[in-house]
Amino acid sequence: MFGGTGSTADEQPVVLDELVMFATEEGSSLSCRINPAQVSGPRPYARSGATMLEYDAGQLLLYGVVGADGTPLEDAVLFDDAAMRWSKVYN
C-alpha cells in the first residue's frame, strides 16, 4: 500500500507518503514494514485515494488520485518488489 490519510499529533488531517509492505511468514504469521530503509528511486508524492495494482510479476503500478494540496495527481510510478526500487513511468 502507498499513501492514504492520517492525522497529526494535534488531530489535523494529513496526506501520507508511506509505503506499507505486508508479507506472509512461515506458518500463518504476517509481517508488516513501513517505509523500509532499503527502498531506492524517486519517492512518489504523498497521495490519498490512489490505486496500486500488479503491472507485471513483482512490479506494482501506483497512480492517481489526490495530492497533499488537494489537486489531482496525473502521474504513474512503478515499484519493483525484488529490487525495492521506485521508478517514474509517467509525468
Side-chain angles (χ1 to χ4, degrees):
M1 294 188 311
F2 185 86
T5 56
S7 58
T8 62
D10 60 345
E11 300 299 319
Q12 296 299 311
V14 62
V15 176
L16 305 173
D17 67 346
E18 294 180 338
L19 172 64
V20 181
M21 298 179 70
F22 295 96
T24 55
E25 303 293 329
E26 191 173 317
S28 60
S29 64
L30 182 70
S31 67
C32 174
R33 295 184 294 166
I34 299 173
N35 293 327
Q38 65 271 30
V39 174
S40 64
R43 187 179 189 85
Y45 300 116
R47 63 191 65 219
S48 65
T51 298
M52 188 177 237
L53 55 91
E54 186 174 30
Y55 175 74
D56 200 0
Q59 295 187 330
L60 301 171
L61 181 67
L62 172 71
Y63 65 94
V65 171
V66 179
D69 63 358
T71 61
L73 293 173
E74 296 177 359
D75 66 345
V77 186
L78 204 59
F79 181 73
D80 185 312
D81 185 44
M84 298 291 283
R85 182 181 310 119
W86 289 108
S87 57
K88 199 167 218 178
V89 294
Y90 180 74
N91 193 5

